[in-house]
Amino acid sequence: MASRRPLLRLLAQSRIQSRLSNSACRRTISSFSASSKASQHPLARYLGVTALSLLVATPLFYKMAVDEPYMLDAPTLAERDQQTKRAEAITNASPMRLRMEKFIKEQQVEIVRALEAIDGTKFRVDEWQRKEGGGGITCVLQEGKVFEKAGAGISAVYGTLPKAAILKMRANHKNLVNGANEIPESIEFFAAGLSLICHPRNPMAPTIHLNYRYFETANPDGSSGAWWFGGGSDLTPNYLFEEDAILFHKSLKDTCDAHNKEFYPKFKKWCDEYFYNKHRRESRGIGGIFFDDLDETTADKESLFAFIQESLKSFVPTYTTIMNKRKDMPFTEKEKEWQQIRRGRYVEFNLVHDRGTAFGLNTPGPRVESILMSMPLTATWKYMYEPEPGSREEKLEKVLREPKEWV
Amino acid sequence: MASRRPLLRLLAQSRIQSRLSNSACRRTISSFSASSKASQHPLARYLGVTALSLLVATPLFYKMAVDEPYMLDAPTLAERDQQTKRAEAITNASPMRLRMEKFIKEQQVEIVRALEAIDGTKFRVDEWQRKEGGGGITCVLQEGKVFEKAGAGISAVYGTLPKAAILKMRANHKNLVNGANEIPESIEFFAAGLSLICHPRNPMAPTIHLNYRYFETANPDGSSGAWWFGGGSDLTPNYLFEEDAILFHKSLKDTCDAHNKEFYPKFKKWCDEYFYNKHRRESRGIGGIFFDDLDETTADKESLFAFIQESLKSFVPTYTTIMNKRKDMPFTEKEKEWQQIRRGRYVEFNLVHDRGTAFGLNTPGPRVESILMSMPLTATWKYMYEPEPGSREEKLEKVLREPKEWV
């Protein structure tokens, strides 16, 4: 079921009451960014500067630690990670938190480059931090040649889970308190994820969405406690091209099958159940995969990280193939109108049913523009709009009402 | 507070698990409607036919009562009301249920006529019933000359409140179980309301919304149990015209003041609190009035009905005055774009925060097209759109962030 652990999944979607991670470091980055060479890609430049700042920021951190007495307390997970990032490069031996963060940053660059290549328009890059702690990078391309709107956002936050949340989580993650007799008052956590959405102009080209995320708690001794991965990707066409649906699902199935033959059927069903516009009695799109809580009861951390990496990496080749076929297809005004109606349904799903969006918007101090980058540029609601019998629009509706097996 | 009794307010908004009201009567109406004269206004024709059908349907009802043994049980509230409506005209001596239903039907006709006069386009009229029971009439004008979309809907449903709901309601309505020692397993209820929304084309013309409703429960002996009125109206301009804001609020204040000097300040505040897009930290519009649970602790039923009637009747003259000033004003592409962005915020409020919409969509078997007639025809989401400093757009945003006293 999609709703096994709503709180945790939402926490894992990473806009949360969280504590400061790296504001000193960010400030260094910002001041560097301003003077960086304009010829570099802005996002690549940002990441290049990050690596540099990890080195130059070390003396600053040392000074703070000496000057400010509160730094003498046991360091938080965030502080320990900062220290690690400053002291050494991220390798396969680094904590998964840092490997996941590095991976999604790299993937964000890859994805942004690929979408810019399709569109010919640059993304706007916004680095942000919440007053409450944590932050991310939101990249948006708006009113491009091919995309009405495309957004790729990453976030990585540290925070503290209160006792009530721990009690709820324990039911599904036995190792959350590591066999301790007493439930602690709070546990530190880390959550990082990458979210992507593309709304193309051409009604023949499908909207795509994906999200991959990692969640981890810390034991009191500083070691990793409970951890799990979540994610998935789903396709939302306005007009059905079976070859696209098959390509999309086959690509996901191949990645799944390489890890576990049970993944694809299970995650495909989960996706159909999650992305369901209940009040319309139809799916948001033609599905894909959706999963959460992949922990040691499913496979070891290394294997699951490999699965997450391959799933995310499969986006660029698959979507590029589909877009190259669809982005320049001829279309009519009526087909554009249908796309806009489908966009309205997309808005309905995201604002009425999507637990991630609801959780994000209801969190204190949300970055609303990052959460709602998933909104289409435009949408339409026509009262009692009904596709003509036998039309391509009706054909799509039928598929949305009865999810198909594509591979 | 706006959230004093969410369940009840939502029930009062009247899309509810409810029991059959008058399907035999409706079928008679439908068959008559098909042969009615096309020269009549469709809605007026519908109501004229209703009156006629109340007479012709009596023999049918008698026959059912004789033939079908289950009709020998104590009649339901719905059945008793059907009988009353068939036997006699609705007068001031009739139960409030029937007076309210008659009143909102008449007002729907008035409002539809007034908006058609402004636009020059006819409304589409849909009569509907839920499989689960209850029904209404939804009138929508779409892509008109003046309105992108305007909707006026009424509904009147009968149903049964389960014990859990009764227990919740009792906190605020002492007379719900009329001093009985034991809480009954269920109580019959009636809920009726009129909802209206207008989204004009011209960005200088404001969107308006109103909703007035009545809720009543039945005692086991068939007499009226608890009852209350709810409602209100609010204005959502894209560009601020202070004279419109003052006219709108003054009209509501005058109606309030004629009944109780405390009404306007209390209901104005309640409106500002209810129509608040929390995640945007701004109001949906410039407010108006909002109230609920007006029962015998506020005033007697007759006085409150008079207040509701006058409030609803004040819509046509006030909005007509505003529309006549604004509907033909010149505007730029940029101003149209701003309107579309404001429409996006309207969608966000309705889908994320409005408890009536959420309740309606989550009810089994909802008539989604009636619930979502409140959606604008089109809306836009632009990432990081910010009005220019000192612009009229920024001026509106300031007012939305700090509600003003207009009269």
Side-chain angles (χ1 to χ4, degrees), chain B residues 269-283:
Chain B
K269 185 165 178 281
W270 203 339
C271 188
D272 287 337
E273 286 166 357
Y274 185 81
F275 293 105
Y276 185 64
N277 239 339
K278 200 178 65 168
H279 63 284
R280 296 285 189 182
R281 298 185 193 191
E282 66 183 25
S283 295

Side-chain angles (χ1 to χ4, degrees), chain B residues 108 111-112 115 123 138-142 147 149-153 194-199 208 210 373-374:
Chain B
Q108 190 183 32
I111 287 169
V112 162
L115 296 175
F123 273 70
T138 301
C139 302
V140 173
L141 185 166
Q142 195 164 264
F147 295 107
K149 205 184 211 175
L194 182 152
S195 288
L196 167 83
I197 188 127
C198 302
H199 292 293
I208 197 165
L210 67 76
M373 75 174 190
S374 62

Side-chain angles (χ1 to χ4, degrees), chain B residues 227-281:
Chain B
W227 58 268
W228 58 90
F229 291 96
S233 180
D234 68 297
L235 197 72
T236 307
N238 310 300
Y239 288 93
L240 189 63
F241 292 91
E242 297 215 349
E243 62 184 278
D244 295 352
I246 292 165
L247 173 72
F248 180 72
H249 275 269
K250 192 172 180 314
S251 155
L252 293 171
K253 184 175 186 294
D254 288 348
T255 308
C256 287
D257 284 356
H259 289 267
N260 186 328
K261 294 277 183 193
E262 289 174 10
F263 277 3
Y264 177 75
K266 188 177 168 190
F267 299 162
K268 195 263 185 198
K269 185 165 178 281
W270 203 339
C271 188
D272 287 337
E273 286 166 357
Y274 185 81
F275 293 105
Y276 185 64
N277 239 339
K278 200 178 65 168
H279 63 284
R280 296 285 189 182
R281 298 185 193 191

Side-chain angles (χ1 to χ4, degrees), chain A residues 55-64:
Chain A
L55 302 172
V56 300
T58 311
L60 173 67
F61 179 81
Y62 175 73
K63 184 176 182 302
M64 286 168 66

Side-chain angles (χ1 to χ4, degrees), chain B residues 160-379:
Chain B
T160 305
L161 286 177
K163 195 168 188 172
I166 300 166
L167 286 166
K168 274 194 187 172
M169 289 161 101
R170 207 178 40 151
N172 292 298
H173 294 282
K174 302 292 179 215
N175 61 353
L176 195 64
V177 294
N178 229 1
N181 286 333
E182 275 191 38
I183 306 292
E185 284 305 312
S186 67
I187 292 181
E188 287 186 273
F189 74 84
F190 167 85
L194 182 152
S195 288
L196 167 83
I197 188 127
C198 302
H199 292 293
R201 281 196 184 281
N202 193 308
M204 301 301 150
T207 286
I208 197 165
H209 161 259
L210 67 76
N211 171 274
Y212 290 97
R213 55 196 181 268
Y214 175 70
F215 187 89
E216 187 183 297
T217 62
N219 293 324
D221 67 3
S223 60
S224 292
W227 58 268
W228 58 90
F229 291 96
S233 180
D234 68 297
L235 197 72
T236 307
N238 310 300
Y239 288 93
L240 189 63
F241 292 91
E242 297 215 349
E243 62 184 278
D244 295 352
I246 292 165
L247 173 72
F248 180 72
H249 275 269
K250 192 172 180 314
S251 155
L252 293 171
K253 184 175 186 294
D254 288 348
T255 308
C256 287
D257 284 356
H259 289 267
N260 186 328
K261 294 277 183 193
E262 289 174 10
F263 277 3
Y264 177 75
K266 188 177 168 190
F267 299 162
K268 195 263 185 198
K269 185 165 178 281
W270 203 339
C271 188
D272 287 337
E273 286 166 357
Y274 185 81
F275 293 105
Y276 185 64
N277 239 339
K278 200 178 65 168
H279 63 284
R280 296 285 189 182
R281 298 185 193 191
E282 66 183 25
S283 295
R284 179 168 87 170
I286 58 151
I289 58 170
F290 183 92
F291 54 87
D292 204 359
D293 309 309
L294 298 196
D295 61 13
E296 67 284 344
T297 62
T298 303
D300 64 89
K301 200 187 273 187
E302 215 51 57
S303 307
L304 289 172
F305 186 43
F307 168 60
I308 290 290
Q309 287 175 295
E310 286 157 38
S311 299
L312 182 44
K313 283 179 181 170
S314 77
F315 161 75
V316 169
T318 305
Y319 195 56
T320 301
T321 304
I322 294 173
M323 283 307 294
N324 285 341
K325 283 185 189 169
R326 307 294 161 224
K327 71 185 170 68
D328 299 318
M329 284 182 77
F331 62 87
T332 65
E333 274 308 298
K334 191 145 181 78
E335 287 160 345
K336 186 71 188 168
E337 180 188 47
W338 173 244
Q339 177 201 52
Q340 293 297 303
I341 287 164
R342 299 311 312 167
R343 295 270 201 264
R345 303 292 171 95
Y346 209 87
V347 168
E348 288 176 27
F349 179 82
N350 288 13
L351 297 185
V352 176
H353 299 294
D354 188 50
R355 290 187 290 264
T357 303
F359 185 83
L361 294 180
N362 286 310
T363 298
R367 187 175 196 265
V368 174
E369 290 298 319
S370 292
I371 299 167
L372 297 185
M373 75 174 190
S374 62
M375 291 293 106
L377 185 70
T378 52

Side-chain angles (χ1 to χ4, degrees), chain A residues 35-56:
Chain A
S35 61
S36 294
K37 272 180 255 169
S39 62
Q40 272 183 289
H41 187 281
L43 185 56
R45 193 169 68 221
Y46 169 73
L47 292 177
V49 170
T50 305
L52 182 58
S53 71
L54 297 181
L55 302 172
V56 300

Side-chain angles (χ1 to χ4, degrees), chain A residues 35-209:
Chain A
S35 61
S36 294
K37 272 180 255 169
S39 62
Q40 272 183 289
H41 187 281
L43 185 56
R45 193 169 68 221
Y46 169 73
L47 292 177
V49 170
T50 305
L52 182 58
S53 71
L54 297 181
L55 302 172
V56 300
T58 311
L60 173 67
F61 179 81
Y62 175 73
K63 184 176 182 302
M64 286 168 66
V66 172
D67 289 355
E68 297 176 26
Y70 66 82
M71 296 298 283
L72 299 174
D73 291 346
T76 62
L77 187 62
E79 287 159 358
R80 283 196 305 274
D81 281 354
Q82 276 312 318
Q83 211 154 12
T84 308
K85 284 196 271 189
R86 281 162 191 145
E88 58 200 63
I90 308 304
T91 69
N92 289 352
S94 303
M96 184 57 75
R97 298 183 298 282
L98 306 184
R99 293 169 67 194
M100 181 69 175
E101 187 178 353
K102 178 168 176 274
F103 172 67
I104 58 176
K105 277 187 177 171
E106 288 165 358
Q107 281 302 302
Q108 189 182 32
V109 175
E110 288 303 311
I111 288 169
V112 162
R113 278 198 179 128
L115 296 174
E116 286 180 348
I118 293 172
D119 196 282
T121 310
K122 290 281 172 200
F123 274 70
R124 165 179 175 159
V125 179
D126 287 319
E127 175 206 344
W128 54 272
Q129 283 185 277
R130 289 174 60 234
K131 193 178 66 196
E132 294 80 359
I137 308 169
T138 301
C139 302
V140 174
L141 185 167
Q142 196 165 261
E143 296 176 272
K145 297 181 192 77
V146 172
F147 296 107
E148 282 178 3
K149 205 184 210 174
I154 61 161
S155 60
V157 296
Y158 293 84
T160 305
L161 287 177
K163 194 169 188 170
I166 299 166
L167 286 166
K168 275 194 187 173
M169 288 162 102
R170 208 178 39 152
N172 290 299
H173 295 283
K174 303 293 178 213
N175 61 353
L176 195 64
V177 293
N178 230 0
N181 286 333
E182 275 191 40
I183 306 292
E185 284 306 312
S186 65
I187 292 181
E188 287 187 272
F189 74 85
F190 167 83
L194 181 152
S195 288
L196 167 83
I197 188 127
C198 302
H199 293 293
R201 281 196 184 282
N202 194 308
M204 301 302 151
T207 287
I208 198 166
H209 161 257

